[in-house]
Amino acid sequence: MKETKTTMAVTSTRIRLGALLGGAVLATTGVLTAQSAVAAPSAPVAADAPSAAAVTKLSHSDAANRLRGAGISWTSSGGCSDRNNPTCTSFEQINLTTVQGAITLKGATGCALTITGGTETGHASGTYSHWNGYKLDFSPTSCLSNYITGTFTNIGPRPGDGAQQYKSGSGNVYARESNHWDVTYYNCGGC
């Protein structure tokens, strides 16, 4: 029997649903087995599945290799990378687009970049926070500072701490805190 695109899509959906429910599916008929039906009440529902727009998270090792390969260095006051220690600089659970944004910044500026803060605990909370993988802190070298202030648009002081903010053309925000640039990467900066 020739399957139509609709039949194949329904069968595929039933197979994915069966996998979510933890039971076996008869692929040829698309019927859930009794085992899956019994498992259904306590099993996760399809709405809990990650969306296509979910961010990609990296391990510390993967992020460090990517940054090192781009010539970006980092430092830690504690000489460590433990995410749960505020004196460490960790990249654990950083967003791929954040790492790509740092690499884009390195290429655009030509400056030596040193990261002083990543995803470790001890930073302010919020959706677009260090802990959630959206932010990096950079040493404020004159090369980097001149590039940011001369290239990006000043959007005024940040509510709360008054740090001057500069917005790149791609929408990422660079805030000049007392001893570093606090950068929020909403995207990869045009990578």
Side-chain angles (χ1 to χ4, degrees), residues 11 25 39 48 63 68 83 92 100 117 119 131 134 136 138 142 147 151 153 163 169 174 176 183 187-188:
T11 300
V25 175
D48 292 338
R68 187 180 300 111
R83 185 171 196 220
E92 191 65 36
Q100 291 170 326
T119 61
W131 183 261
Y134 288 91
L136 287 172
F138 292 94
S142 57
Y147 180 85
T151 306
T153 303
Y174 297 71
R176 182 59 166 92
V183 183
N187 59 64
C188 68

Side-chain angles (χ1 to χ4, degrees), residues 14-157:
R14 286 182 179 156
I15 290 170
R16 285 193 306 274
L17 179 59
L20 279 172
L21 296 176
V25 175
L26 299 176
T28 56
T29 62
V31 177
L32 300 176
T33 65
Q35 178 187 1
S36 347
V38 171
S42 62
V45 294
D48 292 338
S51 71
V55 296
T56 300
K57 299 291 187 175
L58 301 178
S59 68
H60 177 83
S61 176
D62 188 10
N65 286 336
R66 290 169 187 256
L67 293 165
R68 187 180 300 111
I72 299 171
S73 63
W74 56 93
T75 187
S76 162
S77 61
C80 50
S81 62
D82 180 357
R83 185 171 196 220
N84 296 302
N85 182 338
T87 67
C88 298
T89 297
S90 176
F91 304 127
E92 191 65 36
Q93 293 298 302
I94 196 166
N95 298 340
L96 172 60
T97 53
T98 300
V99 171
Q100 291 170 326
I103 294 169
T104 299
L105 180 65
K106 168 72 174 163
T109 64
C111 300
L113 297 182
T114 303
I115 297 170
T116 60
T119 61
E120 65 280 348
T121 190
H123 299 279
S125 62
T127 302
Y128 299 103
S129 64
H130 282 272
W131 183 261
N132 288 338
Y134 288 91
K135 287 189 169 203
L136 287 172
D137 291 340
F138 292 94
S139 290
T141 63
S142 57
C143 181
L144 179 60
S145 296
N146 289 338
Y147 180 85
I148 292 170
T149 59
T151 306
F152 301 147
T153 303
N154 185 314
I155 58 171

